[in-house]
């Protein structure tokens, strides 16, 4: 059931929620939290779809705050609030209210959301895109116990991680951190099977993916060993290699769904490590509402302390100079089997004949041919006689 309200107030929206629950025959409220989604019109549909799928595990009241851009000075001075109330099958297992803010009310979003929060229930705020640098100091973030951001959607993810570390407040979290939960579980389980000491780690993943940096910082923080970050073609994280005193431990995922776990002295095993969608990530974050101390410790480790390999062209052959040639300049092709045998190196101190210039070498055959022709041709005097 959908109820559209134009130029409305928070009181009218609460009345529409009660009216909708009575219309579908469920007057009681059976929701466990309030999820506030702060987004724009472009990303509102995908965010709301993920929240509805997650509500099957966590029945909640979802408030979608869409801040509309005013195009003229007159629109910026006028204030308006439009709402779309969804209950029943249109809202998953909870209730959904889509709030569209216009004009001056855009800067007072917390005053609009506050009367619509469920009483005595935790509040979670999620920014799918355009998250503030300090979520805890944001007016809407100040209302929540948990604040969810996604540095993967930022233009400069690595710089965003540095800003998140500087402004971290207990209750902050990141979906890029949630994406590596299966990797952390698998690596921890692999280390439980051996009694060796880890000496070095290499994390391989696609460029501009903050999950690679977060996993590398977590390993460096937990194991206290140097961690190297290497680029790959993706998708996402592709491999983690740990050098131990008992041999290498490798977790390799090339296709984004199935990974191979290799431990020295044990047969290689295939493990499910698929890339999860946003609905699964949000559902995992809503399972715990207390501060994530492990995330805070890994985030504060610092990206600048990692050993990062320069981002070169992925797939470039080792030792290549980036040109179209198959070998380095001045280096013969070791794989060539045709042609004469290699000449012996000249003795030390022996003079080496300098090669003729290209133009002189090209003109030499022509000069020899002209000389032979001149010898065969009779002279002018002989012809005259």
């Amino acid at each position: 059931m959908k109820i559209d309200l134009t130029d409305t107030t928070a009181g009218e929206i609460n009345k529409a929620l009660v009216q909708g629950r009575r219309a579908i025959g469920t007057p009681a409220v059976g929701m466990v939290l309030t999820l506030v989604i702060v987004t724009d019109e472009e990303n509102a549909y995908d965010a709301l779809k993920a929240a509805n799928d997650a509500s099957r595990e966590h029945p909640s009241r979802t408030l979608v705050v869409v801040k509309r851009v005013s195009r003229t000075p007159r629109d910026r001075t006028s204030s308006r609030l439009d709402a779309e109330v969804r209950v029943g099958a249109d809202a998953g297992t909870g209730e959904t209210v889509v709030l569209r803010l216009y004009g001056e009310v855009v800067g007072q979003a917390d005053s609009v959301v506050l009367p619509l929060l469920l009483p005595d229930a935790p509040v979670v705020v999620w920014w799918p895109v355009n998250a503030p640098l300090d979520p805890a100091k944001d007016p809407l973030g100040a209302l929540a116990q948990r604040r969810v951001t996604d540095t993967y959607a930022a233009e400069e993810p690595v710089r965003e991680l540095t800003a998140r570390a500087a402004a971290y407040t207990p209750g902050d979290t990141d979906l890029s951190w949630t994406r590596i939960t299966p990797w952390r579980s698998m690596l921890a389980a692999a280390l439980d099977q051996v009694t060796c000491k880890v000496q070095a780690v290499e994390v391989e993943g696609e460029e501009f993916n903050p999950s690679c940096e977060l996993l590398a910082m977590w390993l460096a923080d937990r194991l206290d060993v140097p961690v190297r970050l290497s680029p790959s073609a993706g998708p996402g994280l592709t491999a983690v290699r740990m050098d131990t005193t008992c041999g290498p431990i490798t977790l390799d995922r090339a296709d984004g769904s199935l990974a191979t776990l290799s431990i020295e002295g044990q047969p290689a095993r295939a493990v499910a490590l698929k890339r999860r969608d946003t609905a699964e990530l949000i559902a995992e974050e809503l399972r715990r509402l207390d501060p994530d101390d492990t995330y805070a410790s890994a985030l504060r480790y610092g990206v600048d302390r990692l050993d990062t390999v320069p981002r070169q062209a992925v797939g470039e052959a080792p030792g290549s100079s980036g040109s179209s040639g198959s070998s380095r300049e001045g280096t013969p092709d070791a794989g060539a089997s045709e042609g004469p045998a290699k000449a012996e190196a000249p003795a030390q101190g022996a003079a080496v004949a300098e090669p003729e210039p290209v133009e002189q070498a090209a003109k030499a055959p022509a000069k020899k041919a002209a000389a032979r022709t001149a010898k065969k041709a009779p002279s002018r005097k002989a012809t005259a006689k």
Side-chain angles (χ1 to χ4, degrees), residues 83 114 137 140 161 241 247 256 280 378:
L114 186 59
K137 292 185 179 179
L140 287 173
L161 285 176
R241 302 177 183 89
E280 295 182 65

Side-chain angles (χ1 to χ4, degrees), residues 100-186:
R100 291 182 171 85
L101 284 60
Y102 300 84
E104 295 180 349
V105 75
V106 170
Q108 307 295 329
D110 55 328
S111 301
V112 177
V113 170
L114 186 59
L116 302 176
L117 300 178
L118 290 173
D120 301 328
V123 179
V124 179
V125 179
W126 172 33
W127 289 270
V129 293
N130 302 325
L133 293 178
D134 192 349
K137 292 185 179 179
D138 185 82
L140 287 173
L143 302 175
Q145 286 79 31
R146 291 278 282 180
R147 295 163 292 276
V148 184
T149 58
D150 191 358
T151 53
Y152 185 79
E155 293 184 1
E156 298 182 358
V158 177
R159 183 175 297 180
E160 194 83 4
L161 285 176
T162 305
R164 291 277 180 269
Y168 175 80
T169 302
D172 294 351
T173 190
D174 191 344
L175 291 185
S176 296
W177 171 257
T178 314
R179 290 184 180 95
I180 64 174
T181 300
W183 284 83
R184 294 189 292 120
S185 301
M186 197 64 62

Side-chain angles (χ1 to χ4, degrees), residues 13-263:
I13 296 173
N14 272 320
K15 291 180 182 179
L17 287 170
V18 175
Q19 177 185 350
R21 288 198 300 268
R22 289 177 177 175
I24 63 175
T26 55
V29 179
M31 290 159 285
V32 298
L33 58 89
T34 303
L35 176 62
V36 182
I37 304 175
V38 186
T39 182
D40 52 15
E41 198 70 55
E42 179 182 359
N43 298 279
Y45 175 81
D46 294 335
L48 186 55
K49 184 178 183 300
N52 287 341
D53 293 341
S55 68
R56 298 170 184 169
E57 183 177 344
H58 311 278
S60 59
R61 173 177 289 181
T62 304
L63 305 177
V64 184
V65 180
V66 179
K67 300 179 180 181
R68 301 296 298 267
V69 179
S70 301
R71 302 185 179 275
T72 63
R74 180 179 299 176
D75 293 338
R76 285 192 288 269
T77 56
S78 61
S79 299
R80 195 178 88 219
L81 172 63
D82 294 345
E84 180 182 340
V85 178
R86 304 179 185 180
V87 293
D90 295 321
T93 58
E95 300 172 343
T96 300
V97 180
V98 182
L99 304 169
R100 291 182 171 85
L101 284 60
Y102 300 84
E104 295 180 349
V105 75
V106 170
Q108 307 295 329
D110 55 328
S111 301
V112 177
V113 170
L114 186 59
L116 302 176
L117 300 178
L118 290 173
D120 301 328
V123 179
V124 179
V125 179
W126 172 33
W127 289 270
V129 293
N130 302 325
L133 293 178
D134 192 349
K137 292 185 179 179
D138 185 82
L140 287 173
L143 302 175
Q145 286 79 31
R146 291 278 282 180
R147 295 163 292 276
V148 184
T149 58
D150 191 358
T151 53
Y152 185 79
E155 293 184 1
E156 298 182 358
V158 177
R159 183 175 297 180
E160 194 83 4
L161 285 176
T162 305
R164 291 277 180 269
Y168 175 80
T169 302
D172 294 351
T173 190
D174 191 344
L175 291 185
S176 296
W177 171 257
T178 314
R179 290 184 180 95
I180 64 174
T181 300
W183 284 83
R184 294 189 292 120
S185 301
M186 197 64 62
L187 292 172
L191 290 177
D192 286 342
Q193 302 178 32
V194 297
T195 58
C196 308
K197 182 179 180 181
V198 180
Q199 297 174 329
V201 180
E202 181 181 5
V203 177
E204 186 180 283
E206 66 180 354
E207 192 175 0
F208 303 118
N209 190 337
S211 296
C212 303
E213 276 79 7
L214 284 171
L215 182 60
M217 289 189 292
W218 174 71
L219 289 169
D221 180 57
R222 296 288 98 185
L223 300 176
D224 194 21
V225 296
V227 178
R228 186 180 185 184
L229 194 60
S230 303
S232 71
L237 280 161
T238 53
V240 175
R241 302 177 183 89
M242 295 185 289
D243 295 333
T244 69
T245 54
C246 300
I249 297 176
T250 304
L251 183 60
D252 192 352
R253 185 190 67 177
D255 58 355
S257 59
L258 191 65
T260 302
L261 177 62
S262 303
I263 302 177

Side-chain angles (χ1 to χ4, degrees), residues 280-293:
E280 295 182 65
L281 302 177
I282 288 296
E284 179 182 333
E285 284 299 330
L286 296 180
R287 292 188 193 117
R288 54 174 302 172
L289 301 177
D290 56 325
D292 193 343
D293 296 333

